[in-house]
């Protein structure tokens, strides 16, 4: 097995590594997606409009679900897969930017996924707004050689065109009409006036894209944007958290009902419940939270896996004497969200000793220091080596680093300055002079434009192997370098008991 980032800098992708073969899989022309481009931000405006003028996704989702039910989808929205009591599946989140970062995941994903029964995309299948025209290069092409079905739950970006393309691709459902016009000058009227809506679908283009995954074994028809899969000894429950990271009352009632089944369960959600050292229980319209359902011992949840944040994190939370693994798995292709901004973890009884993340915080800081050093043309000031970054992170958080820094690592006034400028987390009692903790200020101001187009990319994906007595969850790395393509390293592994 190859070195991981916890073993050596080379295992993390640093050094003079041989580039991988992922570029051979890419289209000849790739349009680089920039989150600093005003046109991109304007196209993706619906999340802001929903927060200002009210969130319409619950009503729209109800219409989609009713249409699927009328077409014969099962009323309980459960997909029943026949098979043995042992099976394997993949989870990959936040995939579809369509650039090198997404395609760099594909070789390792295809290698690790051999003999798996299906895959699940956990949030944000397509960026920036979930358009049908983007599915060819951002879904069908990269995963054309994965021979099994791919299920998905939508993320907020898939909702930026009212989920139309997602429902067409994954549920084979035609578009909705816009519904009745709202009363003039009310909140709903202003929202409708400014709302971004999908352009008409190019049917020939979509049909050509679909042909890339047209084998019978690749087909999967979902009962809707939220669903459950009964497979072997477990039930996998996927929920749709819409534009604003919540679920509507109807989906909440379904979640409570589907969770009563006695099987052990794994939740897949577009909004992680533990992330960046914080607890986000996910509100349900009308009262209650998703995490209350997950924590109920009668529901037998053993894990909750969420996308949306573009890295890997794991929090083993003790809930009345049993451990639920809360996982962030959004590193499947979109630009990397920093991990060095995560403060020293102390949440839900989880401390640094139990917490895991990928990339390691030191690698994240080195990555961002190089990125901004190059963009601002200040490499001598901002660039940190991976050893320097690892050392300063360990000092600021007061932790043992995930990988020992090299002998040349020195903490200097410059490394401390760069760590502060780039929002490196600290101990829980240390916050910025701003009202928000420094890692939140950094994330809100800088992360949305932080795409990069050369390795190491620090992407990841999960493989889960299910047996009657346990689930083995492994996080694999994808850097864009050949060494990690040929033998994808395991960055984290945990065995989850089912009994």
């Amino acid at each position: 097995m190859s070195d991981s980032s916890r073993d050596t800098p080379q295992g993390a992708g640093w050094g003079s590594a041989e580039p991988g073969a992922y570029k051979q899989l890419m289209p000849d022309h790739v349009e680089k997606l920039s989150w600093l481009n005003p046109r991109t931000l304007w196209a993706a405006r619906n999340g802001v409009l929903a927060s200002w003028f009210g969130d319409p996704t619950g009503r729209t989702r109800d219409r989609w679900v009713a249409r699927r039910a009328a077409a014969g989808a099962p009323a309980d929205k459960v997909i029943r897969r026949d098979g043995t009591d042992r099976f394997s599946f993949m989870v990959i989140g936040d995939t579809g930017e369509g650039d090198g970062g997404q395609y760099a995941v594909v070789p390792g994903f295809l290698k690790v996924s051999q003999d798996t029964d299906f895959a699940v995309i956990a949030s944000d299948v397509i960026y920036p707004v979930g358009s049908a025209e983007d599915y060819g290069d951002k879904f069908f092409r990269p995963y054309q050689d994965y021979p099994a079905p791919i299920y998905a739950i939508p993320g907020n970006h898939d909702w930026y065109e009212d989920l139309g393309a997602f429902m067409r691709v994954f549920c084979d459902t035609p578009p909705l009409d816009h519904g009745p016009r709202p009363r003039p000058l009310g909140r709903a009227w202003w929202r409708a006036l400014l709302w971004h809506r999908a352009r008409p679908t190019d049917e020939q283009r979509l049909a050509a894209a679909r042909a890339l995954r047209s084998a019978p074994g690749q087909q999967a028809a979902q009962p809707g944007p939220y669903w459950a899969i009964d497979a072997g000894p477990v039930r996998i429950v996927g929920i749709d958290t819409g534009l604003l990271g919540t679920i509507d009352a109807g989906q909440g009632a379904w979640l409570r009902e589907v969770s009563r089944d006695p099987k052990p369960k794994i939740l897949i959600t577009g909004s992680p419940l533990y992330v960046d050292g914080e607890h986000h229980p996910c509100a349900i319209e009308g009262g209650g939270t998703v995490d209350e359902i997950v924590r109920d011992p009668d529901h037998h949840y053993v894990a909750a896996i969420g996308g949306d944040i573009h890295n890997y994190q794991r929090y083993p939370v003790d809930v009345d004497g049993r451990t639920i693994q809360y996982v962030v798995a959004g590193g499947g292709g979109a630009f990397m969200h920093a991990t060095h901004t995560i403060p020293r973890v102390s949440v839900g009884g989880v401390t640094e000793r139990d917490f895991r993340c990928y990339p390691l915080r030191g690698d994240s800081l080195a990555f961002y220091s190089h990125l901004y050093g190059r963009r601002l043309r200040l490499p001598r000031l901002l660039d940190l080596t991976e050893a320097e970054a690892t050392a300063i992170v360990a000092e600021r958080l007061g932790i043992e680093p995930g990988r020992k820094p090299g002998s040349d690592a020195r903490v200097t006034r410059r490394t401390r300055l760069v760590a502060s400028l780039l929002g490196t987390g600290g101990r829980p009692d240390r916050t910025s002079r701003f009202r928000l903790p420094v890692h939140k200020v950094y994330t809100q101001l800088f992360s949305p434009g932080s795409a990069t187009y050369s390795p190491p990319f620090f992407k990841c994906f999960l493989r889960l192997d299910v047996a009657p007595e346990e689930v083995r969850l492994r996080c694999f790395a994808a850097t864009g370098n050949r060494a990690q393509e040929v033998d994808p390293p395991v960055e984290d592994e945990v065995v989850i008991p089912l009994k």
Side-chain angles (χ1 to χ4, degrees):
M1 182 177 294
S2 64
D3 286 346
S4 74
S5 69
R6 293 180 174 271
D7 299 318
T8 64
Q10 292 72 30
W14 299 116
S16 54
E18 180 185 354
Y22 66 92
K23 288 188 177 180
Q24 300 173 16
L25 307 174
M26 297 173 63
D28 293 334
H29 173 71
V30 176
E31 183 177 352
K32 293 182 178 181
L33 176 61
S34 172
W35 292 103
L36 299 178
N37 186 327
R39 292 180 60 187
T40 303
L41 295 174
W42 176 243
R45 64 189 177 271
N46 286 359
V48 175
L49 295 175
S51 66
W52 288 353
F53 300 114
D55 184 2
T57 56
R59 291 188 298 275
T60 306
R61 186 186 294 114
D62 285 345
R63 295 176 68 203
W64 282 121
V65 169
R67 177 167 287 192
R68 282 294 290 133
D76 60 3
K77 301 173 185 62
V78 177
I79 302 163
R80 292 173 172 85
R81 295 185 58 88
D82 297 328
T84 66
D85 57 3
R86 297 175 184 270
F87 72 98
S88 302
F89 68 103
M90 306 294 290
V91 176
I92 184 169
D94 298 82
T95 53
E97 286 197 354
D99 58 10
Q102 177 175 10
Y103 280 85
V105 178
V106 174
F109 176 86
L110 293 177
K111 182 160 189 169
V112 171
S113 68
Q114 292 178 17
D115 77 4
T116 56
D117 295 84
F118 58 91
V120 176
I121 297 180
S123 178
D124 289 337
V125 182
I126 301 294
Y127 292 95
V129 294
S131 296
E133 65 185 21
D134 288 331
Y135 266 86
D137 288 342
K138 298 180 182 182
F139 174 72
F140 289 106
R141 183 184 183 112
Y143 312 119
Q144 61 183 311
D145 292 326
Y146 180 66
I150 298 177
Y151 302 98
I153 57 167
N156 57 311
H157 288 267
D158 300 304
W159 268 102
Y160 287 163
E161 288 192 350
D162 291 331
L163 212 63
F166 180 98
M167 292 297 295
R168 185 73 179 275
V169 169
F170 292 101
C171 302
D172 200 22
T173 304
L176 296 172
D177 58 49
H178 295 325
R181 290 187 176 183
R183 295 174 58 184
L185 302 181
R187 294 174 71 206
W189 183 86
W190 284 107
R191 184 183 64 216
L193 178 67
L194 298 171
W195 202 251
H196 170 82
R197 300 195 183 277
R199 292 179 293 182
T201 300
D202 183 332
E203 296 296 340
Q204 286 188 319
R205 183 173 180 176
L206 182 59
R210 281 180 177 273
L212 296 174
R213 279 188 53 83
S214 59
Q218 294 175 315
Q219 305 312 301
Q222 294 180 192
Y226 58 92
W227 41 259
I229 298 174
D230 275 351
V234 301
R235 171 169 282 187
I236 303 158
V237 181
I239 60 171
D240 167 20
T241 55
L243 280 171
L244 301 182
T246 61
I247 66 174
D248 62 277
Q251 186 179 181
W254 169 85
L255 178 61
R256 292 185 176 96
E257 182 63 31
V258 83
S259 297
R260 293 191 180 103
D261 184 275
K263 284 186 173 184
K265 297 173 191 69
I266 298 169
L267 181 74
I268 310 287
T269 169
S271 299
L273 304 180
Y274 280 85
V275 60
D276 293 345
E278 298 175 344
H279 182 209
H280 297 270
C282 187
I284 299 174
E285 181 187 21
T289 69
V290 169
D291 202 30
E292 288 174 356
I293 296 172
V294 169
R295 288 168 174 260
D296 189 325
D298 292 337
H299 296 159
H300 303 290
Y301 278 91
V302 298
I305 303 171
D308 189 52
I309 302 301
H310 308 163
N311 53 46
Y312 173 82
Q313 302 172 44
R314 180 169 64 84
Y315 302 81
V317 177
D318 181 272
V319 180
D320 299 326
R322 61 194 179 92
T323 300
I324 300 176
Q325 299 289 343
Y326 290 88
V327 176
V328 178
F335 71 87
M336 185 195 87
H337 277 130
T339 59
H340 67 267
T341 58
I342 303 171
R344 180 169 173 167
V345 169
S346 180
V347 61
V350 179
T351 64
E352 276 292 328
R353 182 182 64 182
D354 306 310
F355 170 69
R356 295 290 183 272
C357 69
Y358 176 79
L360 298 175
R361 288 186 180 95
D363 289 331
S364 172
L365 178 57
F367 173 97
Y368 272 77
S369 73
H370 175 66
L371 180 69
Y372 282 108
R374 183 177 58 193
R375 285 187 175 179
L376 300 177
R377 299 183 181 180
L378 295 170
R380 291 189 177 183
L381 172 64
L382 293 180
D383 267 12
L384 300 180
T385 67
E386 56 82 19
E388 289 174 326
T390 298
I392 186 59
V393 164
E395 179 187 88
R396 284 179 67 97
L397 274 69
I399 62 172
E400 286 291 323
R403 180 181 70 246
K404 295 291 184 183
S407 58
D408 60 336
R410 295 175 57 226
V411 176
T412 65
R413 188 179 305 174
R414 183 182 75 91
T415 59
R416 290 190 178 103
L417 173 63
V418 173
S420 296
L421 288 174
L422 295 184
T424 305
R427 297 171 185 142
D429 57 337
R430 295 184 181 178
T431 57
S432 151
R433 66 184 180 205
F434 301 106
R435 188 172 68 175
L436 290 173
V438 66
H439 74 283
K440 287 188 177 180
V441 174
Y442 173 85
T443 300
Q444 292 180 10
L445 292 179
F446 291 99
S447 272
S450 299
T452 186
Y453 302 104
S454 60
F457 290 113
F458 295 111
K459 307 304 181 192
C460 57
F461 53 90
L462 307 184
R463 173 173 172 140
L464 290 88
D465 297 291
V466 181
E469 64 283 351
E470 65 185 27
V471 175
R472 181 189 184 201
L473 182 153
R474 287 175 288 169
C475 171
F476 291 87
T479 67
N481 292 326
R482 180 164 175 76
Q484 286 79 39
E485 280 187 357
V486 172
D487 189 8
V490 177
E491 289 293 336
D492 187 35
E493 180 173 357
V494 62
V495 175
I496 306 170
L498 293 181
K499 296 181 180 179

